[in-house]
Structures are given as structure tokens and as C-alpha cells.
């Protein structure tokens, strides 16, 4: 992100040690005997460029300090992280034989990759940053491909290493509110691509968008610089430590009712490991059970990446504030996804037509006018025709063998998983 730098030695503050003691419980003597060899790869955030444009202590330095404080650090290096690297260039660093040797004995690697692919296409004007939207799909595809290949290459060198993909914060908090929206969407889109690539490649995605928010002038104090200050890097460090600690105690989900030859096994496990879907009962996913309207709302909010939560009362008498799906239902209602009505019917199984409308409106999927997929049971005057044809044109939903869509048929949890998986593969 920055080209002209001078080294600056900045001691990691004592608050990192305090933060570690809060985020990470005391480990046992047995756990303490295993030290962690940690490598930080990627762009200027991995290298530690600060808000004043100098090279200092970033999140990777703070992570290593926290590990060292608990006598868990074996070794640490960020020598292969460079400011300004694109996702392609991060991938190319793996050609370095010295890095390959270090990766063979490493236990943890963090990656910051993808932001420069976007920033290199941002033009700064007197009216603020401008982005060439024509290049969006190409950039998204490039980041997802390069990051996936980076993770795959690392796992080829060291199959047992734990890979963490660091998400990105919103970099323009100093913009006027009216100018932020397109860049907020770009930031969320990038993070969704990173999360998807990480999940597909067996890595852990570390979200930091919500930790910063969209008005973090205190964490990004320099309007001319997109890098955080010490407090901002501390937020990123806390997010990593929380994800790392969670991984120490959680195994991948195993469902007793989901054999590996189930037709939706890959999609269900993908979404489960990404945290977008959970088992219905302990040890069971219940793939053939109907997807309720409440479950669909919660999954949709997770699917839309790091969207803002709006807790404004949606006005449904059967969705009290202590309902587990209240935040999701309220958020989607505020965005116009759900209509005004006396009741929401959260336990009612959602139909194929209803879900089509919810997905298109909730994820703001553009109508694909270039392809028309006719279903004999979905005439043009059907209330859900626009939504059904949109999803069908992108290959998200398909008709049955008889050619019908069956809009009134209910959706199972397995069917929803397949649809959600296909949506995540869209650029």
C-alpha cells in the first residue's frame, strides 16, 4: 500500500499482554510445551505499515508478542511481507526457497492479501476516491483464485500448518457519508471473496470489518493513509487471537445423519465450517427437514457477509426481541426484504418462491436480463417470476425433471445449503 518507508522500531505495548489474558484462557502445562512457529505473509498490513506511513509494529508483531508473553512462541518472521503486494505477488513470494524452508517447520501463518488489487484501481480525486467498476468482476475472480492457490501451495509445502486469512476493514472513514456506500459494498465484497476462498481451501477467515465499522477515524486517523494506528492493529490482533483460541477447542462439525455420499455433503460441510449454517439438533444436521423462515433469515444475514445489524422493531407480534432470529429478521425487514405484516410466522417452512425473493432482495442480486429461463408453472405475471428467473439465470436454482419450478414447494435444509453454496461461488 505504501512505497516509501523507513524502518521504525516501536515496542509492543503492555496492553497486548493484558489483551491476551482476557481473550485467551490460561493454557495447561501440557499445552505450554508446544511452541508455535509463526509466519506473517502479505501486504503492508502484514508488514506493519502504520498510519504515519512508516514501517512499525502491526498485528503480526502484536500476535507474536502475545504468544511470547505466554511462552508459546517458537519463532516469528514477517520478512516475506511487503507493502504494496497484490494477491498475485503474494502468491509469487512462495517461489522463495528460504520461505519454503521456513514454512516446512511453521505451525501458523497469517495472510493479508487482496486489498491492493482494489486499491491499485482506485483513483484519488478532489471529490474523493473513484473506482472503475468495470474491472470489479475481473478483480474479484483474480483475488479468489490467487488466494486459493496461495493457501493450496502452503498446504502442499506443509499439510499440517494452520492458515489464517485476515479480513479487511473499511479504509475510508473520512469520506462524507453520502460517498461511503459504494466503497462499503466493495469492502464487504472483498471480505466475502476472502472468506469463501479460505473456507474452500481449509483455512480460517478472520473478520475485522465490524471491529472497525465504517466511521473508525480514531483507528484510521490519517485521511491520506489507509493504514491503522496502534489501536487499530490491536483490534486486528484481538480478532486473530479470538479465532486462534476458538480453533484450539473446536473440531470440524460432524453430523451423524450426513454420510459422505449424501448429495449435498460438500455444500453442507462448506457452509457449516464457514459458520453460516449449524446443526439443528446436537450431532444432527437434519438435511431433509424444512428450512424455516427464521432459519432462512439468520442464514441470509450470515450469507451477506459482514452486513450491518439493524435492531429496529420489525413490528411482528410473533417475533419478540428475545427471539434468536430477531436481529436477522429486524435487519432484513429494515432493508425491505420482508414486508409489513402483523405476523412473521418464523416457524413456517419457507417455499421455493419465497426464498427466491428473499435471496434476490437480501443479497441485491441484479436481474439478469440476458437470459430468460421459462418454467411452465411460473408465468410472467406470477408474483415471484422476476426473482425465480433471476436466480435460475445464474444457475442458483433449477427446475425439476418435468420442467417445472414448483414455486409453492417448501425448501429443505439440504436444498438451501446447495443454493447458498452456489451463491457464494458467484463473483
Amino acid at each position: 500500500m505504501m512505497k516509501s518507508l523507513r524502518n521504525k522500531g516501536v515496542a509492543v505495548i503492555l496492553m497486548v499482554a493484558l489483551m491476551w489474558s482476557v481473550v485467551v484462557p490460561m493454557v495447561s502445562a501440557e499445552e505450554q510445551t508446544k511452541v508455535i512457529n509463526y509466519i506473517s505473509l502479505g501486504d503492508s498490513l502484514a508488514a506493519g505499515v502504520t498510519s504515519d506511513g512508516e514501517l512499525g509494529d502491526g498485528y503480526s508483531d502484536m500476535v507474536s508478542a502475545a504468544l511470547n508473553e505466554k511462552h508459546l512462541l517458537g519463532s516469528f518472521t514477517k520478512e516475506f511481507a511487503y507493502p504494496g503486494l497484490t494477491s498475485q505477488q503474494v502468491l509469487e513470494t512462495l517461489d522463495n526457497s528460504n520461505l519454503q524452508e521456513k514454512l516446512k517447520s511453521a505451525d501458523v501463518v497469517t495472510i493479508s492479501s487482496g486489498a491492493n488489487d482494489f486499491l491499485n484501481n482506485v483513483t484519488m480525486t478532489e471529490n474523493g476516491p473513484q473506482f472503475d467498476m468495470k474491472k470489479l468482476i475481473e478483480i474479484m475472480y483474480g483475488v479468489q483464485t490467487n488466494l486459493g492457490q496461495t493457501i493450496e501451495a502452503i498446504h502442499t509445502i506443509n499439510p499440517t500448518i494452520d492458515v489464517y486469512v485476515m479480513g479487511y476493514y473499511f479504509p475510508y472513514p473520512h469520506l462524507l457519508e453520502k460517498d461511503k456506500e459504494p466503497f462499503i459494498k466493495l469492502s464487504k465484497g472483498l471480505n466475502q471473496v476472502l472468506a469463501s476462498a479460505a473456507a474452500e481451501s481449509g483455512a480460517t477467515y478472520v473478520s475485522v470489518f465490524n471491529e472497525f465499522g465504517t466511521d473508525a477515524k480514531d483507528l484510521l486517523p490519517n485521511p491520506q493513509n489507509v493504514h491503522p494506528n496502534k489501536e487499530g492493529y490491536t483490534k486486528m490482533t484481538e480478532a486473530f487471537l479470538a479465532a486462534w483460541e476458538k480453533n484450539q477447542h473446536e473440531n470440524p462439525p460432524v453430523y451423524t445423519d450426513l454420510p459422505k455420499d449424501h448429495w449435498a455433503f460438500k455444500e453442507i460441510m462448506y457452509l457449516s465450517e464457514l459458520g453460516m449454517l449449524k446443526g439443528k439438533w446436537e450431532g444432527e444436521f437434519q438435511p431433509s427437514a424444512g428450512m424455516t423462515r427464521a432459519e432462512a433469515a439468520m442464514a441470509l444475514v450470515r450469507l451477506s457477509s459482514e452486513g450491518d445489524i439493524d435492531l429496529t422493531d420489525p413490528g411482528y407480534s410473533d417475533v419478540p426481541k428475545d427471539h434468536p432470529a430477531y436481529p436477522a429478521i429486524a435487519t432484513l425487514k429494515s432493508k425491505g426484504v420482508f414486508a409489513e405484516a402483523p405476523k412473521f410466522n418464523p416457524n413456517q417452512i419457507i417455499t421455493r418462491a419465497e426464498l427466491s425473493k428473499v435471496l434476490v432482495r437480501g443479497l441485491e442480486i441484479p436481474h439478469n436480463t440476458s437470459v430468460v429461463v421459462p418454467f411452465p408453472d411460473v408465468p410472467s405475471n406470477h408474483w415471484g417470476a422476476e426473482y425465480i428467473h433471476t436466480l435460475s439465470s445464474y444457475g442458483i436454482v433449477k427446475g425439476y425433471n418435468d420442467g417445472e419450478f414448483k414455486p409453492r414447494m417448501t425448501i429443505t435444509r439440504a436444498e438451501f445449503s446447495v443454493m447458498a453454496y452456489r451463491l457464494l461461488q458467484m463473483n
Side-chain angles (χ1 to χ4, degrees):
M1 294 182 185
M2 300 293 291
K3 295 182 179 179
S4 178
L5 304 170
R6 63 185 177 86
N7 290 329
K8 179 181 179 182
V10 181
V12 179
I13 55 175
L14 291 177
M15 66 183 293
V16 174
L18 176 61
M19 171 192 66
W20 174 265
S21 67
V22 173
V23 174
V24 182
M26 291 293 290
V27 295
S28 66
E30 180 181 355
E31 290 174 317
Q32 286 185 336
T33 61
K34 179 174 174 25
V35 296
I36 296 170
N37 298 310
Y38 168 41
I39 298 176
S40 180
L41 300 178
D43 54 30
S44 54
L45 295 181
V49 176
T50 61
S51 58
D52 57 10
E54 299 188 355
L55 193 60
D57 288 339
Y59 72 82
S60 54
D61 301 274
M62 293 183 175
V63 166
S64 66
L67 292 171
N68 189 56
E69 180 70 18
K70 289 298 180 182
H71 308 291
L72 295 175
L73 184 67
S75 64
F76 162 64
T77 183
K78 63 175 184 179
E79 63 182 293
F80 304 101
Y82 303 98
L85 292 189
T86 63
S87 62
Q88 176 63 40
Q89 292 169 326
V90 172
L91 174 60
E92 291 170 354
T93 62
L94 296 173
D95 293 333
N96 187 307
S97 58
N98 291 330
L99 173 56
Q100 291 177 12
E101 284 302 311
K102 289 182 180 293
L103 283 170
K104 289 177 182 178
S105 59
D107 302 288
V108 171
V109 60
T110 54
I111 305 173
S112 285
S113 177
N116 286 309
D117 297 60
F118 285 86
L119 293 177
N120 289 348
N121 288 278
V122 173
T123 303
M124 298 305 297
T125 70
E126 60 182 13
N127 296 321
Q130 303 294 320
F131 180 77
D132 185 356
M133 298 300 265
K134 295 179 181 178
K135 298 181 178 179
L136 178 60
I137 293 179
E138 177 184 352
I139 293 172
M140 287 280 198
Y141 178 79
V143 170
Q144 185 165 21
T145 301
N146 292 332
L147 179 57
Q149 291 178 354
T150 299
I151 299 170
E152 182 180 352
I154 291 172
H155 279 150
T156 299
I157 297 170
N158 183 346
T160 64
I161 196 170
D162 291 329
V163 180
Y164 291 81
V165 175
M166 299 298 294
Y168 288 98
Y169 48 81
F170 177 63
Y172 300 122
H174 296 275
L175 286 179
L176 296 175
E177 289 300 320
K178 66 181 180 65
D179 297 326
K180 286 183 179 180
E181 187 58 31
F183 291 97
I184 291 175
K185 289 184 177 180
L186 282 175
S187 297
K188 291 180 178 180
L190 172 59
N191 282 312
Q192 181 63 72
V193 167
L194 299 180
S196 178
E200 282 229 317
S201 305
T204 299
Y205 170 68
V206 180
S207 173
V208 301
F209 187 94
N210 284 344
E211 282 70 12
F212 278 68
T214 60
D215 195 36
K217 299 183 183 70
D218 57 329
L219 304 179
L220 299 157
N222 188 347
Q224 305 303 317
N225 191 307
V226 297
H227 298 91
N229 56 17
K230 181 170 60 180
E231 290 73 20
Y233 275 123
T234 299
K235 291 281 189 183
M236 297 183 70
T237 305
E238 290 174 334
F240 168 81
L241 293 176
W244 182 84
E245 172 62 18
K246 182 179 179 181
N247 280 353
Q248 306 315 299
H249 301 289
E250 283 195 1
N251 295 317
V254 177
Y255 301 121
T256 58
D257 59 346
L258 190 71
K260 289 187 177 180
D261 59 355
H262 188 280
W263 64 273
F265 177 84
K266 179 183 73 172
E267 292 85 353
I268 291 172
M269 295 306 299
Y270 174 78
L271 292 170
S272 295
E273 292 177 13
L274 203 59
M276 291 186 177
L277 281 180
K278 303 180 184 298
K280 197 168 180 64
W281 302 107
E282 186 174 353
E284 293 185 353
F285 184 80
Q286 296 197 356
S288 299
M291 190 80 174
T292 69
R293 289 166 56 82
E295 289 173 333
M298 290 189 289
L300 178 57
V301 168
R302 299 188 193 109
L303 195 64
S304 62
S305 188
E306 297 152 315
D308 298 328
I309 298 297
D310 188 336
L311 297 179
T312 303
D313 191 343
Y316 302 125
S317 62
D318 54 354
V319 184
K321 290 188 176 181
D322 59 354
H323 191 286
Y326 179 89
I329 294 170
T331 297
L332 295 175
K333 170 63 163 43
S334 70
K335 294 181 178 180
V337 177
F338 295 129
E340 292 281 352
K343 292 186 176 182
F344 181 76
N345 299 314
N347 297 322
Q348 180 177 307
I349 307 301
I350 197 165
T351 68
R352 288 167 60 82
E354 290 171 339
L355 183 59
S356 297
K357 175 183 177 181
V358 167
L359 290 176
V360 171
R361 297 183 71 171
L363 299 177
E364 299 179 357
I365 301 173
H367 182 57
N368 190 348
T369 57
S370 62
V371 180
V372 176
V373 184
F375 295 111
D377 57 343
V378 185
S380 59
N381 62 350
H382 187 284
W383 67 265
E386 176 186 355
Y387 311 112
I388 293 168
H389 288 170
T390 294
L391 292 183
S392 179
S393 68
Y394 288 112
I396 305 304
V397 297
K398 299 178 181 180
Y400 286 86
N401 292 335
D402 61 3
E404 293 187 343
F405 181 75
K406 304 187 188 303
R408 299 179 65 182
M409 182 175 287
T410 55
I411 286 282
T412 67
R413 288 165 56 80
E415 289 170 335
F416 178 90
S417 300
V418 172
M419 292 172 65
Y421 177 86
R422 291 171 181 164
L423 280 166
L424 287 175
Q425 307 315 303
M426 284 180 59
N427 286 313

